[in-house]
Amino acid sequence: MTPVRGLVIARLVIREAARRRLLLALLVLTLVVIALTGWGFSRIPTITQRGAPLPDLQVKLLASQFLIVTMFMFSFVLAMAAVFVASPQISGDVESGTALAILSRPIGRAEFVGGKWLGLAALVTIYAGSAAAIELGVVNAVVGYVPPEPLSFIAFVIAEGLVIMTFALLLSTRLSGMVGGVIALVLFGIAWIGGIVGGIGVAFDNAGITHVGTATKLILPTDGLWRGAVYALEPQAFVASGSQAGPAAAANPFYASAAAPLSFELYVAGWMVLVFALAVFSFRTREA
């Protein structure tokens, strides 16, 4: 793939998203949500217990749990946005005849798919990174809580968006935007449920159920990345208290007892390379 030609396609993807005001709409809606959640965080220090204000430790623990729930909702919004943008990228160009016009020039199919991926990856990274950083900044300003590993959290959130975007782009090489988008979102939800099922298997020491959760985590590793993001948000006091609950804590989708291992992070990188390669192969074997 020639990098310059791929960058041209990436620039066209970003320009098209800007033309449709997609980025502006996401930015405005995200800022509104951040403002609302910021107001919610500001009310935490006003909570009293038997007429007395909560200790600072309890305020930070409540803030950490509210932040995890807020970011969980954001991860779903990010997934839907990534799928919404990626699922019609190639199929839409094929159906409209745009792909045929572009591919008649000296641009290979690998360059076409690679440029699409680069443009989408830039959009996902900018949106996810900026929104997460602003939310963390607002929480710090109103509550004074900074998660233990904010940069790791942002990296895991971006990776989650890139994974579901890459998968939706693969589906776009064969399916229409609506069909591919629905499939990608359903599998995203199944992966999250599979993580809960795997946690239940750990809690009840059931190897069969545990393997189901492990399989879903490997097929679509979004839930594993979400668990890594959760661990980066948790204060160590909460991790320690959760570990006292034993294996039962593994069934909680808003709790992670340990950081994501390096082997899993490497697996995610390899998974994206493999899915991207499948997307290129699938598009090469399709009539434009």
Side-chain angles (χ1 to χ4, degrees):
M1 181 178 75
T2 304
V4 175
R5 294 172 182 171
L7 291 175
V8 170
I9 300 297
R11 186 175 59 187
L12 291 175
V13 171
I14 297 173
R15 182 183 298 175
E16 181 65 15
R19 186 184 68 82
R20 294 182 178 181
R21 298 184 178 179
L22 174 63
L23 296 179
L24 180 61
L26 279 175
L27 176 63
V28 171
L29 291 174
T30 301
L31 291 177
V32 170
V33 172
I34 289 175
L36 292 174
T37 56
W39 178 84
F41 277 104
S42 69
R43 309 312 300 166
I44 294 178
T46 65
I47 298 175
T48 59
Q49 188 175 28
R50 297 178 182 177
L54 294 177
D56 184 64
L57 178 60
Q58 277 192 294
V59 169
K60 287 183 168 51
L61 285 175
L62 283 175
S64 70
Q65 296 309 291
F66 187 26
L67 180 60
I68 289 173
V69 174
T70 301
M71 288 306 181
F72 172 73
M73 292 186 293
F74 171 69
S75 71
F76 265 87
V77 172
L78 174 62
M80 287 188 290
V83 168
F84 176 77
V85 175
S87 58
Q89 278 296 322
I90 296 177
S91 60
D93 284 353
V94 171
E95 293 167 2
S96 66
T98 304
L100 183 61
I102 294 176
L103 294 173
S104 63
R105 301 173 184 183
I107 296 179
R109 299 203 176 199
E111 294 166 336
F112 185 78
V113 177
K116 291 284 188 180
W117 189 92
L118 287 174
L120 293 170
L123 293 175
V124 169
T125 301
I126 292 171
Y127 172 65
S130 300
I134 293 172
E135 181 70 31
L136 294 180
V138 169
V139 173
N140 182 31
V142 300
V143 184
Y145 174 70
V146 178
E149 301 177 29
L151 294 180
S152 295
F153 165 73
I154 294 175
F156 276 112
V157 168
I158 292 174
E160 187 178 2
L162 292 177
V163 163
I164 192 64
M165 178 273 292
T166 305
F167 182 67
L169 189 64
L170 168 62
L171 296 178
S172 181
T173 62
R174 289 290 172 177
L175 303 173
S176 66
M178 180 176 294
V179 175
V182 169
I183 292 175
L185 287 177
V186 168
L187 289 180
F188 178 82
I190 290 175
W192 179 67
I193 295 173
I196 298 177
V197 170
I200 293 174
V202 173
F204 289 94
D205 194 23
N206 187 308
I209 297 178
T210 303
H211 292 332
V212 171
T214 303
T216 56
K217 185 183 296 185
L218 295 177
I219 294 172
L220 187 64
T222 49
D223 183 70
L225 291 169
W226 163 247
R227 300 281 178 159
V230 168
Y231 183 80
L233 292 177
E234 294 173 330
Q236 289 303 311
F238 185 76
V239 175
S241 63
S243 63
Q244 295 177 358
N252 184 356
F254 305 113
Y255 172 78
S257 59
L262 178 60
S263 58
F264 177 73
E265 296 175 5
L266 294 175
Y267 172 81
V268 171
W271 185 94
M272 282 198 285
V273 171
L274 176 62
V275 173
F276 173 78
L278 290 174
V280 172
F281 174 78
S282 176
F283 189 52
R284 277 178 173 170
T285 58
R286 176 178 179 176
E287 291 292 335

